[in-house]
Amino acid sequence: MRSNPKPNEGLFYINTIRCSNLSQSDTSPDGQKAVNDAWSLSEGMVFVDDFFAEGVSGSQTFNREDIEALLSRKRERNDFNAIVVFELSRLTRGGTRHGLSVEDRLRKAGIRLLSSTDNIPDGPEGDLIKSVKHYANQLQARSISLAAARGLAQSLEKDQRPGASRTPYGFDRLYRGPDGKPRMLTRWDGRTQIWFKPDGDGKPLEEVGRAHKPPRREPNAKFDGKRRQRFRGYKKQEDEVSELVLGSQDRQAAVALMFTAYDLWGWGYDRVTRELRDKGIPAPEGGRWTIGTVVKMLANPIYLGIEVRHRYTNALYHKLSPEQPIPVHIDQDQLAAEGRRQVPRVERPRDEWKLVDKPSLKDMLPASVRPLTMARILKKLDTDRPPHPRQGKSVECDEPLRHKHTDSPFLLTRQLHSAQTGKPMRGDTVHKKLKSGPRQYRYYFDGSAATFAERGLLIRRVPAEPLEQAVVGVLRNLLVDLDDLDERIANAISNVDQVTDHGQEREALQAERSTLVARLRDAYRLLGGISDELADELNRDSERIQAIDRQLASLEAPTKSSLDPTATANAVRELIASLNPDADLPNAIMKQLIAAMLSDMTIDLETFEVSFTVIIPPLATEDDDNTANEDIADSNPAVRLASRLPSPLRGETNRSDSLRIANYRCQHRLEGRRHCFTCRRTSKAA
């Protein structure tokens, strides 16, 4: 019997080997494994498996699939009870909080964390040493980030490398030595990098090698801990500089076709994409062209010979800057809650961009297309250009913004919502070829309802014509039959306050007031004693300030509307009486009337039951100030339509508080199918 057994003897361990950069995967993992195995053998531990986390950043705490994979293996197979790392930085560089929380999770799962080189004792002293080491490892990661950002910024300022980390489509990357002579030319052909020996005598390029990118990892594939295949492309030497040059003729022709079709011929993104596919031109990575790829390429100013630097960043600690790296703060807990796999790339403020002219790249586009492309792209790069309205910011222009589908035939757009998803339903037009000739059908479509297919909901489209006729008919009958409609409308108009814009006059008064206030403040602060003349002048300034305050208050006070309540009420009644989907009223006016009078419109896609609220102006009260009378039950402007449906629209099967338009629910059930073929055809036609 041994007197002094080793504390780790008999443990079943897994080598956990991590390196954040795949360029280190040739030496770093093998060196870690050799040290770990030697130390574990001396401790009397039993080897189980090697777990490789190559290309995994230790600074990112929100996407540690390797740790989750170890815990999952422990739960499923339970074939180990310890993991061995070269040092604690090989586990994480996320700081003290992340390091201790990871070790706590491992300990609760029955896994001991051991280091082969840190020599950390057990007990409270060991916990203190681990905290200090986790803190030091995070500081080291920040210092590495600072040095890397400073070096990259300096190389950009010296034009020793292009701003793009990936070679754009249609270009090659040329590497030059310190004497300026070309050494190597790399070209991408799909997912293959071809190396050419450049020759300045105009001879054809001589291929000297190629490297293939390994297949991509599936987006939802589980982390397996196996060694990854490294891409061994051309490695830039320390004394070399790189630059972009024009690429192969076929790729230049493809780029010229794209910009000519879009800027000169007026083609759209979809048509350009289909043209590239039909011609058999390979995409940047060798697959099929997508609209997203075409959109990004057509907006890239590099094809004009303009390089935009410092436009995007996905930095974790420091982002590039011409002067010095700028520290950034990333809330990794928020990224973990959002399920992010990497730090999102964001666009930096426009005052941080730097545009660099590259004369050698200006011959990519034809001369007839280049001015059109330059006007389009430089307009987007203009620092004074207002932001897009979809970003939630206003755009200063002479004409007000309006919806691009204002004149569409769909009257209930932005009003009708799906009861299942709560999302607004959009218009959808279907063209069908029938024996009697082509015919057009209009539907309201909810694209989000596909998630309810597992519950048996196959109907996602609602016929537009019967729905619009029923809703507009109910609205017309309800409002026209209202005896006191004129009185309600007149009362609502008379209570509307009309505010006149006095912008310039208000600004002038405010500027004068600020000047007078500053004079008074300076006089009382600087003068110990004042003369009678100065006292009179200061009194006049004070009186003028009071007069300006009264004038500003009068400008802010609203005035009553100049509209004639009776005439306006009659005009509104005529419009309501003419409510009809087939009327000659413009669709914009019809939509405005429906938007003003209807709200909370929802439709159940399983039963086709529609429910909405009609907004009716309140009656005038007997009070002089026209305040709401709580004793009048009809003063509430929101009246549920469901309780006031005309009797012709009520059916034997529709006694609920909603309007039933149609019913296409399947009445047949077949073994192994949710719905029969006939009902599926019926629901599709609906």
Side-chain angles (χ1 to χ4, degrees), residues 635-681:
S635 62
N636 186 7
V639 179
R640 290 297 297 175
L641 170 69
S643 62
R644 307 181 63 172
L645 277 177
S647 56
L649 295 178
R650 293 178 180 265
E652 294 296 331
T653 60
N654 181 32
R655 298 191 180 276
S656 61
D657 294 342
S658 56
L659 174 65
R660 195 185 191 93
I661 304 301
N663 185 7
Y664 294 100
R665 297 185 66 182
C666 177
Q667 302 298 329
H668 307 88
R669 294 285 181 176
L670 299 180
E671 183 177 359
R673 297 183 182 178
R674 292 183 179 271
H675 300 273
C676 64
F677 178 79
T678 304
C679 293
R680 280 189 292 169
R681 288 289 300 273

Side-chain angles (χ1 to χ4, degrees), residues 42 45 51 60 77 94 181 212 244 248 258 279 287 309 321 330 342 356 444 501 524 527 533 539 587 593 658 667 674:
S42 64
M45 302 169 62
F51 188 88
Q60 295 183 2
R77 301 167 60 175
K181 294 183 178 180
H212 303 277
L244 295 179
S248 60
M258 294 171 56
K279 289 184 175 297
R309 298 175 180 174
S321 177
I330 301 296
Q342 58 186 0
V356 180
Y444 288 100
D501 186 14
Y524 285 118
L527 298 178
E533 292 79 9
N539 289 333
N587 291 336
L593 289 173
S658 56
Q667 302 298 329
R674 292 183 179 271

Side-chain angles (χ1 to χ4, degrees), residues 554-579:
S554 64
L555 291 179
E556 299 294 340
T559 59
K560 292 298 181 183
S561 175
S562 59
L563 296 176
D564 185 4
T566 305
T568 307
N570 294 334
V572 173
R573 175 179 280 278
E574 293 178 1
L575 285 176
I576 294 174
S578 63
L579 277 177

Side-chain angles (χ1 to χ4, degrees), residues 299 301 308-313 346-348 352-353 380-381:
V308 182
R309 298 175 180 174
H310 315 307
R311 181 174 182 178
Y312 299 99
T313 179
V346 296
E347 191 175 48
R348 300 173 60 171
E352 297 182 3
W353 299 2
K380 295 183 178 180
L381 297 178

Side-chain angles (χ1 to χ4, degrees), residues 330-392:
I330 301 296
D331 188 356
Q332 300 199 46
D333 294 336
Q334 179 64 26
L335 297 182
E338 296 174 358
R340 298 278 188 175
R341 301 178 65 91
Q342 58 186 0
V343 179
R345 191 181 75 157
V346 296
E347 191 175 48
R348 300 173 60 171
R350 297 191 180 183
D351 55 356
E352 297 182 3
W353 299 2
K354 184 177 181 180
L355 274 64
V356 180
D357 192 32
K358 295 293 183 180
S360 60
L361 306 180
K362 293 183 179 295
D363 298 333
M364 175 68 75
L365 301 182
S368 58
V369 181
R370 180 178 172 79
L372 301 175
T373 304
M374 179 172 292
R376 173 177 59 85
I377 294 181
L378 292 185
K379 183 179 179 181
K380 295 183 178 180
L381 297 178
D382 187 6
T383 56
D384 298 331
R385 180 173 179 262
H388 196 279
R390 291 185 181 178
Q391 298 179 356

